[in-house]
Structures are given as C-alpha cells and as structure tokens.
Amino acid sequence: MSDKIPSQVIEVAAPVQKRKALDDSGIHTRSFTGLYRNLRIGFAGALFVLFFSTAWLNWNGRQAVLWDLSESKFHIFGATFWPQDFILLSALLIICAFGLFAITVFAGRVWCGYSCPQSVWTWLFMWCEKVSEGDRNQRIKLAAAPWSLEKVARRSLKHGLWLAIGVVTGLTFVGYFTPIRALAIDLFTLQLGGVPLFWVVFFTIATYLNAGWLREAVCLHMCPYARFQSVMFDKDTLAVAYDPRRGEARGPRKKGSDPQVQGLGDCIDCTLCVQVCPTGIDIRDGLQMACIGCAACIDACDGVMDKMGYARGLIGYKSEHNLHGGKTHWLRPRLLGYAGALLLMVGALSVALDMRPMVSLDVIKDRSLFRENAQGQIENIYLLKIINKTQQPQQYHLRLVEAEGLELNAKTVFAIPAGEMNELPVSVALLAERPADSTQELIFEVCALGAPSTCSQARSRFVAPLNR
C-alpha cells in the first residue's frame, strides 16, 4: 500500500474584476426592502427596547437591574446576587456560548446578522447616513464633491446624530452600574465628574467609532467569532448562499426574454446583492468569512427576481447539500448534541438557582492565635459575615455545630435587613482546662427563624496551647 496522499490538480479561473459596493470613500450600501430586513428591524427594535428601557425600571423602590459595584451586589428585579453567586454568572455565560454554537450549527451567523450589537448599531448609524446624506448614489456623489456649505451641513448632521446615539448608549450602559436617574441628571446639568464621566465618555466614543467608522472592520478583523465559525459549519448548516447551478451564466437580458435561448442563467448581473452588503462582498463568490448572514442580498435578489418574473431563491439560506442538489438533514448528531447539552445546562442552572442558599455565612479568624479571657479560659476571636439574600428582613439564629468542649460567646439571635450583610464579631471559649489537641475544627451555623431549611454553615479552627 502506498503511503502517499493522493492529490488532484484543480484549475483556478482567472479573477474577474467585479463592481463593488465601495469606492475610495468606503462602503455605501443601497436601500432595500424585504422579509429579512423586516425581521432584522424587529430583532433590533427588541434589543433597543430591552437595552434602553430596562435600566429605567424600578423594583421595590430601587433600580430593577443594577450592578452595584460599591456594595458588590447585582440586583435583577426580585433577586440579589453577591460575589459568592458569581459561579452562576459563569454558568450563564457558558450556556449563552453553547446557545450560540447551536444556532451557528443550524443557521450560520444569524446572530451576527440580526442581533449582534455591533451589527444592530451599525445599521442604525447607516440609517442616520441615509437621513442626513441621502441614498447610496447621493452619498457617493457627496463624498466625491468638493467641500461646500451643503456638504458641511449634511456631514455635521450625520456626525451629530452619531454622537447623540453614542451619548445615550454610553449613559445607558454606565446606568447599569450606577443609578441611572441620578447619573442622567448629573450629566445633563454638567455636574457629572470623576469615574462615571470617564466611562460615559469612553463608551460614547467607542460607540461612535465602532458603529460609525470601523463598522465592517470589527467583523472582519476584530471579532474572533468570524475566525472559528467554519469549525461549527457542516454540510447541513444553513448559510446565505448563491445557487450557481441556477444563476450561471450571468448576464443582462430584456424582461420577458428566454434566458436559456441566450445561454444565460437567472442572474442578470445587476450587482444589487453587492450594493446592499454591509461588508462589501459578492455573495456569488461563495461562502466567505466576511459574510455576517444578514440576508440583505437575499432581499435585494428576490426583488429583482420578482421584477423579472423568475422564482425567488437564487440567493437564500441554503445548505451545502442544497447547493449540490441534495436535501438538508435537520436532525443530525452535532446539532442534537449541542441542543442536548444546552438543555442539560439550562436545567442544571434552573436547579442551582432554585437551591441557591438565601443566607450566606463567611468566617474570618482573628490573626491572633488565642487569648485568655477574664474567667481564665482560652478563647479565639472570629468575624462572621452574614448575608441576607432575600428581599425581606429576616431574623437569624447562630450556633456552634460539632464543637464539643467549646462555648459560643455572642448574640445568637439578630435581624438583618433585606439584601444586606451584617458583620458580627464573636468569641469561642474552651471549657476544658487542658485541650486534647492544639487545634480543633468547629462549625458555625446560621438559620432563619421560622425557616429551618434556610441555613448556612462555615468551618473554621479553634487554636489553644497544649501546655498551661
């Protein structure tokens, strides 16, 4: 048996010069309408409503969603999460990643095209361009025209809209970490300063640059998702694709003429698919890393097919099997595996949230090993940090567990307000005159009165001298 790898020579056609949706001034997309554009507007609208409105909601007298960095608490409606609960945040991020993987295996980069904030804000900034500078041809002419009063006015309006959106975006984002009502008042009365002002300005500039100037460069060169998406694709993954079997050979023709007589396919080579693409690619060249799956080219092509009286779908969401005349396999091992793992993780997170202890106890032992009290007993000092994670004030009972020969000297019944932490210094005394060992393990337990299942335990050690 030969150990050589069989090879096959593939003839590569000479590159054809194509008309692009860009010139020296960058990419200028054409306006269009269609089903997928409407879907994208719907998803973008939902994202805007969720992002801009949630920060202004109140819940029980406080901001409904607030990451309070000063007190290390994360409020989300009726729940309060502390640093001890951040493992749940990690689990949520892993679930989101697996959800993205599952969506990618099923339908490619639909997340990028419909819901990614970079894409959504870029589409909004492109709409501002259309409002201030006109449609594609007008913008190209304006970019090439010498500076005039009209050009300055149109460009000023565009950048003014971009900056206004950037300010609102930066204010809202920072408002999830600092109470947004006070933040907005201080900003618009010019009283905001220090760290909040820095971050509002930072995210304003980031939004302005990313959505206004960088745009497709973020997707092409900065986003890692574009680099590893192909690893998750298989021959049944739906992706925006051009059907060369139906479209080739390309060429113009009169409406109503028979393309087969002219030796042509359905593609009339109008390049509208290129003109509407936000990354400036030609989908007819095949699947490309720069394609974000926004389906703008599908809407543009379907409109042309309708005018020509041809069937829609020359460009559409197709799998590799579709492009070769086969059928897409909807239920396949990889997709089922991702879906199964996703369901298991969502179930596990739901159980973890339901079983999350609503009281937390941390024990910090005093740096001194031990001391002798007024009764001549050896005692150790501890600082207990007790967190009430519920949304109601609670009374708690503190006791020692499995601590034979030790006595707790502290207030054992106390109250903690809703969502607050109480620091309680306590001492533990040795009752025996001579300890059996220099160190002894002890367990502190705190339980809510009237709710014995709401308990938390923390271990520590008691230190005593062997010789007295």
Side-chain angles (χ1 to χ4, degrees):
M1 179 182 292
S2 172
D3 58 353
K4 296 182 179 179
I5 300 175
S7 62
Q8 180 181 1
V9 178
I10 300 176
E11 296 294 335
V12 180
V16 179
Q17 188 68 27
K18 302 180 182 68
R19 288 168 285 177
K20 295 289 184 182
L22 52 87
D23 57 14
D24 292 338
S25 62
I27 294 175
H28 298 281
T29 58
R30 186 188 186 102
S31 298
F32 63 96
T33 58
L35 170 64
Y36 296 104
R37 176 181 178 272
N38 294 336
L39 286 175
R40 187 165 50 254
I41 291 175
F43 280 106
L47 178 63
F48 285 141
V49 170
L50 180 67
F51 176 73
F52 287 111
S53 66
T54 303
W56 294 91
L57 297 178
N58 272 356
W59 187 276
N60 291 336
R62 58 165 172 78
Q63 189 169 315
V65 179
L66 177 65
W67 196 305
D68 193 339
L69 297 180
S70 62
E71 297 188 12
S72 300
K73 292 189 291 187
F74 180 33
H75 302 288
I76 176 166
F77 295 96
T80 300
F81 297 90
W82 294 74
Q84 295 88 337
D85 302 315
F86 279 3
I87 186 65
L88 299 175
L89 175 62
S90 302
L92 180 61
L93 294 177
I94 294 173
I95 289 173
C96 291
F98 265 81
L100 182 61
F101 297 160
I103 292 174
T104 304
V105 170
F106 176 70
R109 294 180 68 179
V110 290
W111 158 257
C112 297
Y114 293 86
S115 301
C116 174
Q118 173 65 27
S119 301
V120 170
W121 261 257
T122 296
W123 286 105
L124 178 60
F125 275 47
M126 290 165 60
W127 176 81
C128 293
E129 275 189 335
K130 179 184 175 182
V131 169
S132 58
E133 298 181 352
D135 208 348
R136 179 175 182 268
N137 292 335
Q138 294 174 292
R139 295 199 302 273
I140 293 176
K141 290 179 181 178
L142 184 67
W147 285 98
S148 63
L149 186 60
E150 179 187 5
K151 184 172 182 176
V152 170
R154 289 183 177 275
R155 288 288 170 91
S156 298
L157 176 59
K158 178 182 73 173
H159 290 285
L161 291 173
W162 287 2
L163 283 172
I165 296 171
V167 169
V168 175
T169 302
L171 171 68
T172 304
F173 189 85
V174 177
Y176 282 98
F177 299 87
T178 301
I180 192 169
R181 285 172 172 79
L183 183 71
I185 293 173
D186 289 344
L187 177 64
F188 291 111
T189 57
L190 303 181
Q191 296 179 357
L192 187 64
V195 175
L197 177 62
F198 169 81
W199 286 114
V200 170
V201 172
F202 175 84
F203 286 110
T204 297
I205 295 174
T207 304
Y208 174 78
L209 292 177
N210 283 345
W213 291 95
L214 297 177
R215 293 190 178 178
E216 74 281 353
V218 175
C219 304
L220 292 173
H221 307 296
M222 300 170 65
C223 178
Y225 180 53
R227 296 293 189 272
F228 65 77
Q229 59 163 328
S230 59
V231 178
M232 292 175 281
F233 278 31
D234 57 33
K235 293 185 178 182
D236 293 296
T237 298
L238 297 178
V240 176
Y242 164 77
D243 188 351
R245 296 181 305 143
R246 175 184 160 186
E248 301 297 321
R250 312 170 196 168
R253 79 292 306 268
K254 293 182 179 179
K255 183 178 179 180
S257 63
D258 188 351
Q260 294 183 351
V261 174
Q262 305 175 57
L264 298 174
D266 284 355
C267 179
I268 67 172
D269 202 22
C270 62
T271 71
L272 286 182
C273 58
V274 183
Q275 295 177 33
V276 299
C277 179
T279 58
I281 65 171
D282 191 338
I283 194 62
R284 297 172 297 177
D285 291 339
L287 181 63
Q288 300 162 64
M289 183 183 68
C291 177
I292 62 172
C294 67
C297 54
I298 299 179
D299 284 333
C301 187
D302 283 348
V304 173
M305 294 296 103
D306 290 343
K307 292 178 181 178
M308 295 298 297
Y310 300 162
R312 291 187 168 197
L314 178 60
I315 301 176
Y317 280 104
K318 306 174 186 292
S319 68
E320 188 175 342
H321 282 150
N322 288 147
L323 295 176
H324 291 87
K327 293 183 178 180
T328 300
H329 301 93
W330 301 107
L331 300 178
R332 51 195 189 274
R334 178 183 290 191
L335 183 58
L336 293 174
Y338 278 125
L342 187 61
L343 289 175
L344 286 175
M345 288 188 290
V346 170
L349 179 61
S350 301
V351 172
L353 286 171
D354 183 63
M355 298 179 63
R356 181 172 71 108
M358 300 310 293
V359 59
S360 175
L361 173 63
D362 289 321
V363 179
I364 301 175
K365 190 179 183 306
D366 189 78
R367 287 179 294 178
S368 61
L369 293 179
F370 53 83
R371 72 181 185 185
E372 186 174 320
N373 61 19
Q375 288 77 33
Q377 298 172 321
I378 298 298
E379 68 176 9
N380 288 188
I381 307 299
Y382 305 86
L383 179 65
L384 307 185
K385 292 187 176 182
I386 306 165
I387 302 174
N388 175 12
K389 296 183 180 180
T390 69
Q391 299 302 306
Q392 298 83 28
Q394 294 280 0
Q395 280 198 322
Y396 295 96
H397 176 256
L398 175 67
R399 70 188 185 98
L400 287 178
V401 180
E402 297 179 7
E404 185 178 352
L406 299 176
E407 181 182 54
L408 176 64
N409 296 321
K411 184 178 180 181
T412 58
V413 177
F414 48 88
I416 302 179
E420 297 295 333
M421 180 179 70
N422 188 18
E423 292 187 351
L424 181 66
V426 301
S427 67
V428 177
L430 178 66
L431 299 179
E433 293 185 2
R434 185 179 298 274
D437 200 348
S438 60
T439 63
Q440 179 179 348
E441 186 178 78
L442 71 161
I443 301 174
F444 292 92
E445 181 183 73
V446 61
C447 293
L449 293 179
S453 60
T454 305
C455 293
S456 181
Q457 292 185 345
R459 296 177 180 272
S460 188
R461 302 199 70 84
F462 184 89
V463 180
L466 281 177
N467 297 318
R468 296 185 59 187

